[in-house]
Amino acid sequence: MCPVGPRGCGGKMAAAGAMERSFLEISGAERERPRHFREFTVYGVGTVNAVVGAVKYSESAGGFYYLESGKLFSVTRNRFIHCALHLPSFCKYLLNFYMSGMVVDTGIKWKTSGDTLELVEESLDVNLLNNAVHLKFQNCSILPGGVHVSETQNHVIILIVTNQTVHRLLLPHPSRMYRSELVTESQMQSIFTDIGRVDFRDPCNYQLIPTVPGLSPNSSTSAAWLSSDGEALFALPSASGGIFVLKLPPHDLPGMVSVVELKQSSVMQRLLIGWMPTAIRGDQGPSDRPLSLAVHCVEHDAFIFALCQDHKLRMWSFKDQMCLMVADMLEYVPVNKDLRLAAGTGHKLRLAYSPSLGLYLGVYMHAPKHGQFCIFQLVSTENNRYSLDHISSLFTSQETLVDFALTSTDIWALWHDAENQTVVKYINFEHNVAGQWNPVFMQPLPEEEVIIRDDQDPREVYLQSLFTPGRFINAALCKALQIFCRGTERNLDLSWSELKKEVTLAVESELQGNVTEYEFSQEEFRNLQQEFWCKFYACCLQYQEALSRPLALLLNPHTSMVCLLKKGYLSFLVPSSLVDHLYLLPDENLLTEDETAISDEKT
């Protein structure tokens, strides 16, 4: 260990224990102009209006990296797609301002025209044109896990699962739009440029989910994948604990839509570790319903994994249409009596594949006031039998897990705590014997109050707080400006400096419009000026908090880049320098020079 600071001054030392290098959140979104989305409505033939009391799914997000995103001369270098599932249409924050105080009435209004899928293609190298779209699904709700993106040689294919329909979108692959050796310009067209030409009701790429006995009407999870033959497959949990799989034929070949049900093995089958014909397989109770689904594709087959309410992990072979494995996750939980008596909620499942190491499974077991991650490796034995090799169990005290991502070496986890703070940590699950999570230092939300000294100009202090990099993003300021200047048409396609001028003009104009007396003392005018700037700041703060709400983690296995997807923008998690690492770590993770000397004497 090397001391930081002069010897003998009690300087901080490097982190104690096996803590690895920390990460730091950075974002350039504050200076980006608000993104312009093209909006399209997808009308499903045969869909029905949502009934009162239907399940409302929370917002979620995900992403996709091109296979060659890490190659230097590829047209898809540093290029990726991210998506977000929004609640019915867009939430509108209606704020009423009154001269007598702060924001008095805050409410949220929802349009009921259908759920919205937000798709954005990003590039870190060039400016992509027409790269953002909103797809509104009439009468439908997009299911959790209901968006899957894959690429073939000629196409980027997006599979979408709603509570009533399944969709396949075929878009041109960037390598078919541009030759990599010709990409020298600073901007190029996105794959979403011609999405308006897509026929969303083409029967080859759209299907109404048939009414099948046992198909759960309120699915809490789903999965989709593309087979090696080009078939689009969509998995939905059944009420009996099995899996329904709907299959669309390849887009360029004629064929029929089919639905099969993968049922569980009976109790006797599990004891005998054998398999019986489909006709005599028994159904299970509702407690076996899958909570989280994941799919791993192998040659001419797909393994479907389901983490269920009875805390068991089940694995099916789609080709053989049989359950190959059932594992009780509570066997790996130290205190499981209370969990065993209750149906599981909040459990999550993730997969990670390494060509050299095989398939890893990450299971998050949710319990009140704590959670546990269990990492397994899938092991195949003879006679097509499979088992799990338990690698590690990791514990956490955070309650609300938003998302986690798994690699062949690490777990990245995202929490949102009761104080509205985003918490991200990562850990090497195989070599970190102490179970010590490594920190990611997040950008905090702006302060709720701005302190103004008597010798300071309120306008200048608030402008500095609003436009200091890393505090407010452009979109939050623009939305607040729209609300503040109610009924006034303004051009909000502004640069950072132009936006600052527009904000100043708006607040000062609102102030002048409410001045009813000709004469003001300097103190009265200062108080009134501070009141109006405080109102605008409060509006900005509400939008910043809403747009900063975390939705998902996105890891690029080809470049090791880590992104945090939020409601209104994305940020990047990058390794911190050694100086930043030591400076930002809490004192309890550090040893002083004197403590280190004592420790050395004892050893």
Side-chain angles (χ1 to χ4, degrees), residues 92-98 102-108 479-480 483-484 486 535-536 538-543:
K92 302 294 184 181
Y93 293 81
L94 304 180
L95 295 95
N96 296 325
F97 295 89
Y98 293 91
M102 296 290 293
V103 178
V104 178
D105 179 25
T106 304
I108 300 178
K479 287 178 178 291
I483 295 296
F484 197 81
R486 50 196 182 279
K535 290 175 183 179
F536 181 77
C539 186
C540 294
L541 187 62
Q542 276 200 323
Y543 275 112

Side-chain angles (χ1 to χ4, degrees), residues 156-357:
V156 173
I157 301 174
I158 303 177
L159 305 179
I160 304 168
V161 190
T162 77
N163 61 332
Q164 299 188 61
T165 58
V166 296
H167 303 262
R168 173 172 53 193
L169 305 184
L170 267 74
L171 302 171
H173 195 279
S175 62
R176 288 294 175 262
M177 299 173 64
Y178 293 89
R179 291 168 52 191
S180 59
E181 61 269 20
L182 298 180
V183 179
T184 58
E185 61 268 28
S186 61
Q187 61 185 26
M188 59 196 309
Q189 295 292 338
S190 165
I191 63 170
F192 298 129
T193 296
D194 294 327
I195 196 172
R197 299 180 182 179
V198 173
D199 181 5
F200 293 103
R201 291 186 288 184
D202 181 355
C204 295
N205 297 309
Y206 158 80
Q207 181 64 39
L208 195 68
I209 297 177
T211 303
V212 180
L215 183 59
S216 176
N218 299 320
S219 299
S220 59
T221 183
S222 64
W225 71 99
L226 201 67
S227 74
S228 57
D229 298 325
E231 300 163 326
L233 298 114
F234 307 86
L236 295 166
S238 71
S240 61
I243 304 290
F244 282 103
V245 180
L246 188 149
K247 180 172 68 176
L248 296 181
H251 68 91
D252 53 354
L253 294 175
M256 297 292 293
V257 176
S258 63
V259 178
V260 297
E261 182 181 9
L262 308 180
K263 295 187 177 182
Q264 297 182 32
S265 304
S266 68
V267 175
M268 183 174 293
Q269 285 176 275
R270 289 189 213 143
L271 295 176
L272 298 177
I273 318 178
W275 297 273
M276 297 182 182
T278 304
I280 58 173
R281 289 179 195 157
D283 290 340
Q284 304 300 314
S287 62
D288 298 347
R289 182 177 300 175
L291 295 172
S292 185
L293 293 175
V295 178
H296 174 63
C297 295
V298 295
E299 187 176 3
H300 304 300
D301 197 3
F303 293 150
I304 305 174
F305 297 88
L307 185 59
C308 305
Q309 282 185 330
D310 61 355
H311 317 288
K312 290 183 173 60
L313 178 68
R314 295 176 170 86
M315 170 184 165
W316 282 270
S317 164
F318 176 68
K319 182 182 69 173
D320 298 331
Q321 297 186 24
M322 59 175 57
C323 186
L324 302 181
M325 181 187 68
V326 179
D328 187 356
M329 293 293 100
L330 293 184
E331 293 181 0
Y332 305 94
V333 177
V335 181
N336 59 36
K337 180 179 179 181
D338 293 337
L339 283 178
R340 194 173 294 278
L341 299 176
T345 59
H347 298 344
K348 298 181 186 295
L349 172 66
R350 300 290 184 268
L351 306 180
Y353 177 73
S354 168
S356 58
L357 301 175

Side-chain angles (χ1 to χ4, degrees), residues 32 35 37 60-66 79-86 117-124 128 131-134 147 149 158 190-192 551-555 561 563-572:
E32 291 182 359
R35 197 185 304 275
F37 287 90
S60 59
F64 164 79
Y65 283 99
Y66 291 99
R79 191 163 167 174
F80 57 97
I81 298 171
H82 60 90
C83 61
L85 309 183
H86 292 298
L117 171 61
E118 177 181 296
L119 292 167
V120 180
E121 186 183 21
E122 300 274 12
S123 172
L124 303 183
L128 293 178
N131 67 324
V133 296
H134 279 145
V147 179
V149 184
I158 303 177
S190 165
I191 63 170
F192 298 129
L551 297 179
L553 288 166
L554 180 58
L555 273 64
M561 187 170 70
C563 294
L564 176 58
L565 303 180
K566 302 184 180 183
K567 181 178 174 64
Y569 61 100
L570 65 86
S571 60
F572 299 92

Side-chain angles (χ1 to χ4, degrees), residues 52-68:
V52 177
V55 173
K56 300 293 184 182
Y57 301 106
S58 60
E59 291 178 305
S60 59
F64 164 79
Y65 283 99
Y66 291 99
L67 184 62
E68 295 187 347

